[in-house]
Amino acid sequence: MESVIKASQDTDFPAEIVHVISNISSAQGLDTAQSYNIPTSVIAHKDFATRTDFETALCDAINNENPNLVCLAGFMRILGQTYFDRIKAPTLNIHPSLLPKHKGLHTHQAALDARDKKHGATVHFVTPTLDDGAIIVQESIDINEGDDADDLAARLLPIEHKLYPTAIRKVLKQ
């Protein structure tokens, strides 16, 4: 998220971050956003009896900002139909794999277990199906002999930091 915040400070960046919302009160992104004077909110999914109730509250908070784009980062929940019925702005997510390979969690280890030669990151449109939306941008790295999941994660992180702002520029300048 911080890479997107920093990118948004460039005068030619096509977006302004107006609010950061997390479903986890201890998320580091909240502290990061506050350090840049970006308003934050916590809408904890555990505080709601149903997914629909949670998504309704989430959508109300998002729609209060009237966004042109919603960007997820570290949001580990599948959004259901309530969200997509109520949020009309495109929603993006970044995923640490070369989608459509290795959806879900533990992607670095999955790439190693599959004996992939390449690994990478993908920014994609979010749909109600896990990691299944149209791909906006991808970038790959080689998997080296002897790499472990931590090695891949460390080498991939700088690419993710570059990739998300690139995808936002691409989507908003279309």
Side-chain angles (χ1 to χ4, degrees):
M1 184 187 69
E2 188 168 13
S3 65
V4 175
I5 292 171
K6 287 179 177 179
S8 74
Q9 295 175 335
D10 290 342
T11 56
D12 69 336
F13 195 74
E16 173 188 1
I17 300 170
V18 297
H19 203 119
V20 171
I21 302 170
S22 178
N23 63 317
I24 306 291
S25 62
S26 61
Q28 182 180 347
L30 296 170
D31 294 333
T32 300
Q34 290 166 358
S35 75
Y36 285 90
N37 296 314
I38 298 169
T40 63
S41 298
V42 176
I43 303 172
H45 62 278
K46 293 181 179 182
D47 292 345
F48 297 89
T50 68
R51 174 195 293 233
T52 299
D53 292 343
F54 165 67
E55 288 184 8
T56 297
L58 179 63
C59 291
D60 287 347
I62 292 170
N63 283 330
N64 279 341
E65 302 296 342
N66 194 30
N68 295 323
L69 186 66
V70 177
C71 297
L72 305 180
F75 186 76
M76 305 302 283
R77 312 242 352 130
I78 297 172
L79 294 167
Q81 198 57 51
T82 299
Y83 178 87
F84 294 98
D85 287 346
R86 299 200 58 213
I87 299 296
K88 299 309 176 197
T91 301
L92 309 185
N93 187 40
I94 188 160
H95 185 72
S97 80
L98 294 172
L99 291 176
K101 292 179 102 175
H102 312 305
K103 297 177 181 184
L105 301 174
H106 312 294
T107 61
H108 309 306
Q109 189 61 51
L112 292 168
D113 292 347
R115 300 180 188 267
D116 292 345
K117 301 287 185 213
K118 299 258 183 203
H119 187 47
T122 305
V123 180
H124 64 96
F125 288 103
V126 177
T127 69
T129 303
L130 177 67
D131 299 327
D132 199 49
I135 293 169
I136 302 163
V137 292
Q138 280 186 324
E139 191 166 326
S140 67
I141 59 173
D142 291 330
I143 297 178
N144 301 322
E145 189 170 331
D147 274 344
D148 64 19
D150 291 337
D151 296 329
L152 291 178
R155 284 206 326 275
L156 195 56
L157 191 59
I159 290 169
E160 291 177 277
H161 289 171
K162 179 183 75 172
L163 206 57
Y164 216 160
T166 298
I168 292 167
R169 286 178 188 276
K170 184 174 180 180
V171 168
L172 291 178
K173 290 191 174 185
Q174 289 181 343

